[in-house]
Amino acid sequence: MAAGRFYSGSLIRRIRALERTLLLIGQFEMHLEFSRAPAAEIVMALREHPEFSGLKYLRTCAEEIAAGVDFPEAWRTAVSDCAADALNAGDAELLLSFGNGLGQTDLPGQEKLCAVHRRMIEERLESARQQYASKGKLGTALGTAAGAVAVLFFL
């Protein structure tokens, strides 16, 4: 039963993390357009927003930047160390790609980077939602069934 709930919970955590990541990319895009601030400043500003409190990689990146690490390395470290808490390897690779592109081009290039990554995250989010709809409840049901079989076995 616990395994099924854990599986179902991990699917939900991934969905929530992808939803927050979509919001984060939108905020990056807005900050780039209106303030033209460097990525490190944007991270420091966004870490305080409550809607991003569940993004451990954002908090870790901000801590690294505050400790004097430059943005690209702070982002790489944070995503590598923290994304696996809620995201899968493909999601983390996409986040690494996003961070690697920030600050590397002019404003229109960075806006395109945000738009492309937003679309890719949206696709991954839709896939995660479909996976939860088809397998999330099944995992809980299988966990419950396994618990019932274990009880019967010990009777």
Side-chain angles (χ1 to χ4, degrees):
M1 189 156 74
R5 284 188 181 156
F6 177 78
Y7 178 71
S8 181
S10 68
L11 293 175
I12 291 170
R13 280 189 301 279
R14 179 173 179 234
I15 289 169
R16 298 296 175 253
L18 288 170
E19 289 170 341
R20 288 181 182 119
T21 298
L22 267 178
L23 288 172
L24 179 70
I25 291 172
Q27 287 292 313
F28 259 99
E29 194 169 22
M30 189 175 68
H31 278 268
L32 287 168
E33 183 177 348
F34 293 112
S35 72
R36 300 178 190 229
E41 286 181 28
I42 296 171
V43 166
M44 298 306 278
L46 294 178
R47 72 176 173 175
E48 302 300 326
H49 288 259
E51 65 263 23
F52 303 127
S53 64
L55 294 177
K56 187 176 176 186
Y57 66 86
L58 182 64
R59 286 191 321 269
T60 301
C61 182
E63 290 167 3
E64 292 283 314
I65 291 168
V69 178
D70 65 334
F71 172 77
E73 183 61 31
W75 185 264
R76 230 180 342 272
T77 299
V79 170
S80 298
D81 291 351
C82 302
D85 291 349
L87 301 172
N88 67 26
D91 302 334
E93 285 297 319
L94 195 53
L95 277 174
L96 287 171
S97 168
F98 177 67
N100 287 337
L102 286 172
Q104 300 301 313
T105 63
D106 59 358
L107 181 61
Q110 290 189 70
E111 289 173 339
K112 286 179 187 173
L113 174 84
C114 291
V116 165
H117 281 81
R118 187 174 0 93
R119 279 194 303 275
M120 289 190 288
I121 294 288
E122 286 170 349
E123 290 171 7
R124 296 186 78 78
L125 175 58
E126 182 58 32
S127 174
R129 286 177 175 154
Q130 290 173 358
Q131 185 180 17
Y132 177 73
S134 66
K135 297 179 183 175
K137 295 174 184 167
L138 177 64
T140 302
L142 287 176
T144 302
V149 168
V151 168
L152 290 174
F153 179 73
F154 288 111
L155 290 177

